[in-house]
Amino acid sequence: EDARFPKDFVFGAATAAYQCEGETRTHGKGKVAWDDYLDEKGLFSADPASDFYHRYPEDLRLCQEYGINGIRVSIAWSRIFPNGDDPVPNSEGVAFYHRLFAECRSRGVEPYVTLHHFDSPDALYREGDFLNQHAIDAFERYARFCFAEYPEVTHWFTFNEIWAVVSNMYIEGTWPRGQRYRLDLAFQAMHNMMVAHARAVLAFEELGHPGSIGVVHALSTKYPDDPAAAGDVEAARIDDVLNNQFLLEATFDGRYSEETLDCANRLAALAGGRLEFLPEDLEQLAAAAPHNDCLGINYYQSNFLKAYDGPNDCHHNSTGEKGTERHALQGIGEYVARPEIPRTDWDWMIYPQGLYDLVMRICRQWPHYKELYVTENGMASKDRLEEGAVHDEERIHYIREHLRWALKAIAEGAHLRGYFVWSLMDVFSWNNGYNKRYGLFYVDFDTQERIPKDSARWYAKVAQERFLD
Ligand code: BGP
């Protein structure tokens, strides 16, 4: 078994604007839905988070020191256009990202830049976010502006995790909007966001920008709990359409298959709604599909499903109290825990093989794909700083095993170009605040001091040797 990485493999780490920057309402930045939502809940705030707005030079210095040669960052849309669609951009916000990208370059850390990481400007959010065509138009305009303004960036992603956006907003109700079990809105919003993605891809092509463009999807492999039970197999299939297949078809085929449409329409009807895909939007999807240069895969876990005919019943474990998560959807199935498969305190199933199965499935099903990146993978824990050190053996194990399966996929021919640990340093976690830590670098949120965890040292060694022990 070859444990060596290709010579140009990117050893990256990931961040997202709202989770690390701080300065959420200053320097001309417009409001996002999360601002009020978090104020109302009163549990935690995204200010100053990891103070990346001021401390990015230090974080990039750490990247360089620890062999991390790629960083995922996102541009906060409302730093550029405070209301999403303003006639004039906010010059302070525009300048901030020039400084950030220049710092990346000077440290030899390649920036992989996402345009939308869960932070729609509030003005657009209040009009219905991507359920409203205005958000699609405004996103295209914002994307065009960024492509032209930042030629120093050559790796672009449009959206981060369209699936996470819609499942939290419209199915689980755990994010702003807080609607539950509205599968109709979830499919409609996924489609609309993919149309916005397509329009950005077409603009990128039309303007002849150098570099690559793609989208980041949150994908999970779906397994039937009992492969011999037809009901479990069907549950896994339907949940796969919802979480993976619908978005992958929109991305790579630019159209939806009959099976996928049947499934989406049925689930939408069950939720009391219906889907509307405009012919001109479908044309854009089709036109953009061949121009996807790369796909980012965020992989954390897989799911095992059982047939289920009860009512919708989800509970999100946002506290890290193991065993409190529940996920059962009418017309789909329920997630089941497997005693032999470990889970994090937040009940995320740790199943590295799921990443391999996912990558190989993409290679098989869409052999014309160009490049893949694992744009997020990582493990949350309630890390403790003891005598200046964080001994995060479990995280090392988690990353090592996922890298091992990634290497196996590469050996079998997958064009997997890089891997980004979520997250570079500890950051704000959407539903969970600050006790759910993922970073390679521990952040003392009182002093903003960065302390390398054992995992940072281990990752530096792997990156340097390009070899997995
Ligand atoms: C992904 C997001 C990240 C990040 C991560 C961990 O869905 O792209 O922004 O937060 O998951 O999720 P959480 O913070 O909810 O544990």
PDB file of all heavy atoms in Angstrom, residues 363-391:
ATOM      1  N   CYS A 363     -16.280   9.244  -9.049  1.00  0.00           N
ATOM      2  CA  CYS A 363     -15.457   8.836 -10.198  1.00  0.00           C
ATOM      3  C   CYS A 363     -16.238   7.906 -11.138  1.00  0.00           C
ATOM      4  O   CYS A 363     -16.118   8.002 -12.356  1.00  0.00           O
ATOM      5  CB  CYS A 363     -14.185   8.130  -9.745  1.00  0.00           C
ATOM      6  SG  CYS A 363     -13.105   9.165  -8.762  1.00  0.00           S
ATOM      7  N   ARG A 364     -16.993   7.008 -10.551  1.00  0.00           N
ATOM      8  CA  ARG A 364     -17.763   6.053 -11.365  1.00  0.00           C
ATOM      9  C   ARG A 364     -18.936   6.716 -12.060  1.00  0.00           C
ATOM     10  O   ARG A 364     -19.164   6.531 -13.244  1.00  0.00           O
ATOM     11  CB  ARG A 364     -18.342   4.951 -10.456  1.00  0.00           C
ATOM     12  CG  ARG A 364     -17.518   3.696 -10.342  1.00  0.00           C
ATOM     13  CD  ARG A 364     -18.340   2.540  -9.759  1.00  0.00           C
ATOM     14  NE  ARG A 364     -19.110   2.908  -8.581  1.00  0.00           N
ATOM     15  CZ  ARG A 364     -18.613   2.944  -7.344  1.00  0.00           C
ATOM     16  NH1 ARG A 364     -17.352   2.626  -7.117  1.00  0.00           N
ATOM     17  NH2 ARG A 364     -19.372   3.286  -6.316  1.00  0.00           N
ATOM     18  N   GLN A 365     -19.681   7.525 -11.267  1.00  0.00           N
ATOM     19  CA  GLN A 365     -20.945   8.044 -11.778  1.00  0.00           C
ATOM     20  C   GLN A 365     -20.756   9.247 -12.698  1.00  0.00           C
ATOM     21  O   GLN A 365     -21.567   9.476 -13.593  1.00  0.00           O
ATOM     22  CB  GLN A 365     -21.833   8.422 -10.588  1.00  0.00           C
ATOM     23  CG  GLN A 365     -23.268   8.016 -10.781  1.00  0.00           C
ATOM     24  CD  GLN A 365     -24.143   8.466  -9.608  1.00  0.00           C
ATOM     25  OE1 GLN A 365     -23.676   8.547  -8.469  1.00  0.00           O
ATOM     26  NE2 GLN A 365     -25.387   8.769  -9.900  1.00  0.00           N
ATOM     27  N   TRP A 366     -19.703  10.033 -12.458  1.00  0.00           N
ATOM     28  CA  TRP A 366     -19.454  11.217 -13.293  1.00  0.00           C
ATOM     29  C   TRP A 366     -18.002  11.189 -13.774  1.00  0.00           C
ATOM     30  O   TRP A 366     -17.198  12.036 -13.368  1.00  0.00           O
ATOM     31  CB  TRP A 366     -19.751  12.502 -12.504  1.00  0.00           C
ATOM     32  CG  TRP A 366     -21.218  12.624 -12.206  1.00  0.00           C
ATOM     33  CD1 TRP A 366     -22.193  13.034 -13.077  1.00  0.00           C
ATOM     34  CD2 TRP A 366     -21.886  12.304 -10.974  1.00  0.00           C
ATOM     35  NE1 TRP A 366     -23.424  12.998 -12.449  1.00  0.00           N
ATOM     36  CE2 TRP A 366     -23.266  12.553 -11.168  1.00  0.00           C
ATOM     37  CE3 TRP A 366     -21.448  11.835  -9.733  1.00  0.00           C
ATOM     38  CZ2 TRP A 366     -24.214  12.343 -10.164  1.00  0.00           C
ATOM     39  CZ3 TRP A 366     -22.389  11.633  -8.738  1.00  0.00           C
ATOM     40  CH2 TRP A 366     -23.752  11.883  -8.964  1.00  0.00           C
ATOM     41  N   PRO A 367     -17.671  10.242 -14.637  1.00  0.00           N
ATOM     42  CA  PRO A 367     -16.254  10.061 -15.011  1.00  0.00           C
ATOM     43  C   PRO A 367     -15.649  11.298 -15.695  1.00  0.00           C
ATOM     44  O   PRO A 367     -14.435  11.396 -15.800  1.00  0.00           O
ATOM     45  CB  PRO A 367     -16.291   8.856 -15.962  1.00  0.00           C
ATOM     46  CG  PRO A 367     -17.717   8.637 -16.325  1.00  0.00           C
ATOM     47  CD  PRO A 367     -18.556   9.252 -15.257  1.00  0.00           C
ATOM     48  N   HIS A 368     -16.486  12.256 -16.105  1.00  0.00           N
ATOM     49  CA  HIS A 368     -15.957  13.468 -16.739  1.00  0.00           C
ATOM     50  C   HIS A 368     -15.610  14.557 -15.721  1.00  0.00           C
ATOM     51  O   HIS A 368     -15.222  15.657 -16.110  1.00  0.00           O
ATOM     52  CB  HIS A 368     -16.955  14.006 -17.764  1.00  0.00           C
ATOM     53  CG  HIS A 368     -18.294  14.355 -17.168  1.00  0.00           C
ATOM     54  ND1 HIS A 368     -19.177  13.394 -16.719  1.00  0.00           N
ATOM     55  CD2 HIS A 368     -18.888  15.549 -16.934  1.00  0.00           C
ATOM     56  CE1 HIS A 368     -20.265  13.992 -16.244  1.00  0.00           C
ATOM     57  NE2 HIS A 368     -20.109  15.302 -16.362  1.00  0.00           N
ATOM     58  N   TYR A 369     -15.735  14.280 -14.414  1.00  0.00           N
ATOM     59  CA  TYR A 369     -15.342  15.289 -13.398  1.00  0.00           C
ATOM     60  C   TYR A 369     -13.863  15.592 -13.613  1.00  0.00           C
ATOM     61  O   TYR A 369     -13.109  14.756 -14.130  1.00  0.00           O
ATOM     62  CB  TYR A 369     -15.581  14.739 -11.971  1.00  0.00           C
ATOM     63  CG  TYR A 369     -14.455  13.851 -11.503  1.00  0.00           C
ATOM     64  CD1 TYR A 369     -13.433  14.343 -10.694  1.00  0.00           C
ATOM     65  CD2 TYR A 369     -14.362  12.528 -11.929  1.00  0.00           C
ATOM     66  CE1 TYR A 369     -12.360  13.538 -10.320  1.00  0.00           C
ATOM     67  CE2 TYR A 369     -13.303  11.717 -11.560  1.00  0.00           C
ATOM     68  CZ  TYR A 369     -12.303  12.234 -10.750  1.00  0.00           C
ATOM     69  OH  TYR A 369     -11.248  11.450 -10.401  1.00  0.00           O
ATOM     70  N   LYS A 370     -13.423  16.797 -13.208  1.00  0.00           N
ATOM     71  CA  LYS A 370     -12.013  17.127 -13.446  1.00  0.00           C
ATOM     72  C   LYS A 370     -11.162  16.928 -12.197  1.00  0.00           C
ATOM     73  O   LYS A 370     -10.285  16.077 -12.166  1.00  0.00           O
ATOM     74  CB  LYS A 370     -11.902  18.534 -14.001  1.00  0.00           C
ATOM     75  CG  LYS A 370     -12.514  18.621 -15.407  1.00  0.00           C
ATOM     76  CD  LYS A 370     -12.552  20.046 -15.928  1.00  0.00           C
ATOM     77  CE  LYS A 370     -13.527  20.182 -17.093  1.00  0.00           C
ATOM     78  NZ  LYS A 370     -14.108  21.523 -17.170  1.00  0.00           N
ATOM     79  N   GLU A 371     -11.411  17.731 -11.179  1.00  0.00           N
ATOM     80  CA  GLU A 371     -10.575  17.622  -9.974  1.00  0.00           C
ATOM     81  C   GLU A 371     -11.448  17.620  -8.732  1.00  0.00           C
ATOM     82  O   GLU A 371     -12.482  18.282  -8.690  1.00  0.00           O
ATOM     83  CB  GLU A 371      -9.635  18.827  -9.872  1.00  0.00           C
ATOM     84  CG  GLU A 371      -8.657  18.928 -11.016  1.00  0.00           C
ATOM     85  CD  GLU A 371      -7.574  19.957 -10.729  1.00  0.00           C
ATOM     86  OE1 GLU A 371      -7.883  20.995 -10.122  1.00  0.00           O
ATOM     87  OE2 GLU A 371      -6.421  19.704 -11.114  1.00  0.00           O
ATOM     88  N   LEU A 372     -10.984  16.898  -7.733  1.00  0.00           N
ATOM     89  CA  LEU A 372     -11.669  16.884  -6.440  1.00  0.00           C
ATOM     90  C   LEU A 372     -10.721  17.387  -5.359  1.00  0.00           C
ATOM     91  O   LEU A 372      -9.505  17.183  -5.434  1.00  0.00           O
ATOM     92  CB  LEU A 372     -12.089  15.450  -6.072  1.00  0.00           C
ATOM     93  CG  LEU A 372     -12.975  14.682  -7.045  1.00  0.00           C
ATOM     94  CD1 LEU A 372     -13.146  13.243  -6.551  1.00  0.00           C
ATOM     95  CD2 LEU A 372     -14.335  15.362  -7.206  1.00  0.00           C
ATOM     96  N   TYR A 373     -11.286  18.047  -4.384  1.00  0.00           N
ATOM     97  CA  TYR A 373     -10.576  18.372  -3.153  1.00  0.00           C
ATOM     98  C   TYR A 373     -11.439  17.912  -1.992  1.00  0.00           C
ATOM     99  O   TYR A 373     -12.669  18.024  -2.065  1.00  0.00           O
ATOM    100  CB  TYR A 373     -10.386  19.884  -2.986  1.00  0.00           C
ATOM    101  CG  TYR A 373      -9.380  20.502  -3.916  1.00  0.00           C
ATOM    102  CD1 TYR A 373      -9.767  20.986  -5.162  1.00  0.00           C
ATOM    103  CD2 TYR A 373      -8.050  20.622  -3.542  1.00  0.00           C
ATOM    104  CE1 TYR A 373      -8.847  21.570  -6.023  1.00  0.00           C
ATOM    105  CE2 TYR A 373      -7.117  21.205  -4.393  1.00  0.00           C
ATOM    106  CZ  TYR A 373      -7.524  21.674  -5.634  1.00  0.00           C
ATOM    107  OH  TYR A 373      -6.607  22.246  -6.473  1.00  0.00           O
ATOM    108  N   VAL A 374     -10.824  17.441  -0.928  1.00  0.00           N
ATOM    109  CA  VAL A 374     -11.560  17.340   0.327  1.00  0.00           C
ATOM    110  C   VAL A 374     -11.396  18.717   0.960  1.00  0.00           C
ATOM    111  O   VAL A 374     -10.314  19.078   1.417  1.00  0.00           O
ATOM    112  CB  VAL A 374     -11.002  16.236   1.249  1.00  0.00           C
ATOM    113  CG1 VAL A 374     -11.710  16.279   2.600  1.00  0.00           C
ATOM    114  CG2 VAL A 374     -11.176  14.876   0.601  1.00  0.00           C
ATOM    115  N   THR A 375     -12.466  19.504   0.916  1.00  0.00           N
ATOM    116  CA  THR A 375     -12.361  20.902   1.343  1.00  0.00           C
ATOM    117  C   THR A 375     -12.642  21.084   2.831  1.00  0.00           C
ATOM    118  O   THR A 375     -12.367  22.157   3.374  1.00  0.00           O
ATOM    119  CB  THR A 375     -13.305  21.783   0.506  1.00  0.00           C
ATOM    120  OG1 THR A 375     -14.473  21.027   0.178  1.00  0.00           O
ATOM    121  CG2 THR A 375     -12.640  22.240  -0.776  1.00  0.00           C
ATOM    122  N   GLU A 376     -13.213  20.054   3.471  1.00  0.00           N
ATOM    123  CA  GLU A 376     -13.327  20.048   4.930  1.00  0.00           C
ATOM    124  C   GLU A 376     -13.403  18.614   5.411  1.00  0.00           C
ATOM    125  O   GLU A 376     -14.101  17.790   4.814  1.00  0.00           O
ATOM    126  CB  GLU A 376     -14.607  20.746   5.443  1.00  0.00           C
ATOM    127  CG  GLU A 376     -14.585  22.242   5.386  1.00  0.00           C
ATOM    128  CD  GLU A 376     -15.873  22.871   5.927  1.00  0.00           C
ATOM    129  OE1 GLU A 376     -16.499  22.296   6.851  1.00  0.00           O
ATOM    130  OE2 GLU A 376     -16.241  23.928   5.419  1.00  0.00           O
ATOM    131  N   ASN A 377     -12.687  18.351   6.476  1.00  0.00           N
ATOM    132  CA  ASN A 377     -12.787  17.083   7.185  1.00  0.00           C
ATOM    133  C   ASN A 377     -12.101  17.330   8.525  1.00  0.00           C
ATOM    134  O   ASN A 377     -11.056  17.975   8.579  1.00  0.00           O
ATOM    135  CB  ASN A 377     -12.068  15.967   6.398  1.00  0.00           C
ATOM    136  CG  ASN A 377     -12.053  14.630   7.116  1.00  0.00           C
ATOM    137  OD1 ASN A 377     -11.004  14.105   7.477  1.00  0.00           O
ATOM    138  ND2 ASN A 377     -13.219  14.065   7.327  1.00  0.00           N
ATOM    139  N   GLY A 378     -12.722  16.876   9.575  1.00  0.00           N
ATOM    140  CA  GLY A 378     -12.094  17.133  10.871  1.00  0.00           C
ATOM    141  C   GLY A 378     -12.982  16.650  11.985  1.00  0.00           C
ATOM    142  O   GLY A 378     -14.107  16.202  11.770  1.00  0.00           O
ATOM    143  N   MET A 379     -12.468  16.732  13.178  1.00  0.00           N
ATOM    144  CA  MET A 379     -13.183  16.179  14.326  1.00  0.00           C
ATOM    145  C   MET A 379     -13.306  17.178  15.466  1.00  0.00           C
ATOM    146  O   MET A 379     -12.324  17.770  15.900  1.00  0.00           O
ATOM    147  CB  MET A 379     -12.448  14.948  14.836  1.00  0.00           C
ATOM    148  CG  MET A 379     -13.210  14.285  15.943  1.00  0.00           C
ATOM    149  SD  MET A 379     -12.295  12.952  16.690  1.00  0.00           S
ATOM    150  CE  MET A 379     -13.309  12.729  18.152  1.00  0.00           C
ATOM    151  N   ALA A 380     -14.549  17.312  15.930  1.00  0.00           N
ATOM    152  CA  ALA A 380     -14.804  18.202  17.061  1.00  0.00           C
ATOM    153  C   ALA A 380     -14.525  17.485  18.368  1.00  0.00           C
ATOM    154  O   ALA A 380     -14.847  16.312  18.519  1.00  0.00           O
ATOM    155  CB  ALA A 380     -16.261  18.640  17.050  1.00  0.00           C
ATOM    156  N   SER A 381     -13.923  18.192  19.297  1.00  0.00           N
ATOM    157  CA  SER A 381     -13.897  17.678  20.655  1.00  0.00           C
ATOM    158  C   SER A 381     -13.807  18.840  21.646  1.00  0.00           C
ATOM    159  O   SER A 381     -13.568  19.979  21.256  1.00  0.00           O
ATOM    160  CB  SER A 381     -12.779  16.661  20.856  1.00  0.00           C
ATOM    161  OG  SER A 381     -11.557  17.254  20.549  1.00  0.00           O
ATOM    162  N   LYS A 382     -14.036  18.509  22.914  1.00  0.00           N
ATOM    163  CA  LYS A 382     -13.996  19.548  23.954  1.00  0.00           C
ATOM    164  C   LYS A 382     -12.559  19.621  24.453  1.00  0.00           C
ATOM    165  O   LYS A 382     -12.267  19.212  25.582  1.00  0.00           O
ATOM    166  CB  LYS A 382     -14.968  19.187  25.082  1.00  0.00           C
ATOM    167  CG  LYS A 382     -16.413  19.039  24.614  1.00  0.00           C
ATOM    168  CD  LYS A 382     -17.269  18.324  25.654  1.00  0.00           C
ATOM    169  CE  LYS A 382     -18.627  17.953  25.093  1.00  0.00           C
ATOM    170  NZ  LYS A 382     -19.319  16.902  25.875  1.00  0.00           N
ATOM    171  N   ASP A 383     -11.677  20.103  23.573  1.00  0.00           N
ATOM    172  CA  ASP A 383     -10.250  20.099  23.898  1.00  0.00           C
ATOM    173  C   ASP A 383      -9.959  20.864  25.179  1.00  0.00           C
ATOM    174  O   ASP A 383     -10.576  21.885  25.454  1.00  0.00           O
ATOM    175  CB  ASP A 383      -9.456  20.778  22.769  1.00  0.00           C
ATOM    176  CG  ASP A 383      -9.535  20.014  21.467  1.00  0.00           C
ATOM    177  OD1 ASP A 383      -9.397  18.782  21.486  1.00  0.00           O
ATOM    178  OD2 ASP A 383      -9.754  20.659  20.426  1.00  0.00           O
ATOM    179  N   ARG A 384      -8.998  20.361  25.925  1.00  0.00           N
ATOM    180  CA  ARG A 384      -8.558  21.076  27.122  1.00  0.00           C
ATOM    181  C   ARG A 384      -7.088  21.427  27.025  1.00  0.00           C
ATOM    182  O   ARG A 384      -6.265  20.609  26.607  1.00  0.00           O
ATOM    183  CB  ARG A 384      -8.805  20.230  28.370  1.00  0.00           C
ATOM    184  CG  ARG A 384     -10.269  20.292  28.831  1.00  0.00           C
ATOM    185  CD  ARG A 384     -10.496  19.301  29.903  1.00  0.00           C
ATOM    186  NE  ARG A 384      -9.700  18.102  29.572  1.00  0.00           N
ATOM    187  CZ  ARG A 384      -9.551  17.060  30.372  1.00  0.00           C
ATOM    188  NH1 ARG A 384     -10.101  17.047  31.540  1.00  0.00           N
ATOM    189  NH2 ARG A 384      -8.825  16.022  29.986  1.00  0.00           N
ATOM    190  N   LEU A 385      -6.815  22.658  27.414  1.00  0.00           N
ATOM    191  CA  LEU A 385      -5.434  23.129  27.431  1.00  0.00           C
ATOM    192  C   LEU A 385      -4.857  22.801  28.799  1.00  0.00           C
ATOM    193  O   LEU A 385      -5.361  23.267  29.827  1.00  0.00           O
ATOM    194  CB  LEU A 385      -5.438  24.649  27.200  1.00  0.00           C
ATOM    195  CG  LEU A 385      -4.086  25.351  27.194  1.00  0.00           C
ATOM    196  CD1 LEU A 385      -3.239  24.896  26.008  1.00  0.00           C
ATOM    197  CD2 LEU A 385      -4.296  26.867  27.114  1.00  0.00           C
ATOM    198  N   GLU A 386      -3.844  21.949  28.807  1.00  0.00           N
ATOM    199  CA  GLU A 386      -3.241  21.567  30.081  1.00  0.00           C
ATOM    200  C   GLU A 386      -1.743  21.788  30.025  1.00  0.00           C
ATOM    201  O   GLU A 386      -1.062  21.188  29.193  1.00  0.00           O
ATOM    202  CB  GLU A 386      -3.527  20.085  30.382  1.00  0.00           C
ATOM    203  CG  GLU A 386      -4.955  19.869  30.827  1.00  0.00           C
ATOM    204  CD  GLU A 386      -5.384  18.406  30.732  1.00  0.00           C
ATOM    205  OE1 GLU A 386      -4.867  17.683  29.836  1.00  0.00           O
ATOM    206  OE2 GLU A 386      -6.221  17.992  31.536  1.00  0.00           O
ATOM    207  N   GLU A 387      -1.292  22.659  30.895  1.00  0.00           N
ATOM    208  CA  GLU A 387       0.133  23.012  30.931  1.00  0.00           C
ATOM    209  C   GLU A 387       0.650  23.376  29.551  1.00  0.00           C
ATOM    210  O   GLU A 387       1.666  22.845  29.078  1.00  0.00           O
ATOM    211  CB  GLU A 387       0.944  21.873  31.549  1.00  0.00           C
ATOM    212  CG  GLU A 387       0.581  21.651  33.016  1.00  0.00           C
ATOM    213  CD  GLU A 387       1.180  20.367  33.574  1.00  0.00           C
ATOM    214  OE1 GLU A 387       2.090  19.813  32.932  1.00  0.00           O
ATOM    215  OE2 GLU A 387       0.724  19.936  34.643  1.00  0.00           O
ATOM    216  N   GLY A 388      -0.105  24.222  28.895  1.00  0.00           N
ATOM    217  CA  GLY A 388       0.348  24.760  27.614  1.00  0.00           C
ATOM    218  C   GLY A 388       0.247  23.802  26.448  1.00  0.00           C
ATOM    219  O   GLY A 388       0.761  24.085  25.367  1.00  0.00           O
ATOM    220  N   ALA A 389      -0.409  22.640  26.639  1.00  0.00           N
ATOM    221  CA  ALA A 389      -0.488  21.662  25.545  1.00  0.00           C
ATOM    222  C   ALA A 389      -1.916  21.147  25.390  1.00  0.00           C
ATOM    223  O   ALA A 389      -2.689  21.153  26.346  1.00  0.00           O
ATOM    224  CB  ALA A 389       0.462  20.508  25.823  1.00  0.00           C
ATOM    225  N   VAL A 390      -2.225  20.715  24.167  1.00  0.00           N
ATOM    226  CA  VAL A 390      -3.500  20.041  23.935  1.00  0.00           C
ATOM    227  C   VAL A 390      -3.181  18.692  23.299  1.00  0.00           C
ATOM    228  O   VAL A 390      -2.657  18.638  22.186  1.00  0.00           O
ATOM    229  CB  VAL A 390      -4.427  20.860  23.012  1.00  0.00           C
ATOM    230  CG1 VAL A 390      -5.730  20.113  22.768  1.00  0.00           C
ATOM    231  CG2 VAL A 390      -4.692  22.245  23.587  1.00  0.00           C
ATOM    232  N   HIS A 391      -3.451  17.626  24.028  1.00  0.00           N
ATOM    233  CA  HIS A 391      -3.149  16.286  23.524  1.00  0.00           C
ATOM    234  C   HIS A 391      -4.385  15.721  22.840  1.00  0.00           C
ATOM    235  O   HIS A 391      -5.214  15.074  23.475  1.00  0.00           O
ATOM    236  CB  HIS A 391      -2.692  15.390  24.685  1.00  0.00           C
ATOM    237  CG  HIS A 391      -1.503  15.945  25.409  1.00  0.00           C
ATOM    238  ND1 HIS A 391      -0.312  16.204  24.760  1.00  0.00           N
ATOM    239  CD2 HIS A 391      -1.322  16.320  26.697  1.00  0.00           C
ATOM    240  CE1 HIS A 391       0.556  16.698  25.637  1.00  0.00           C
ATOM    241  NE2 HIS A 391      -0.031  16.786  26.814  1.00  0.00           N
TER     242      HIS A 391
END
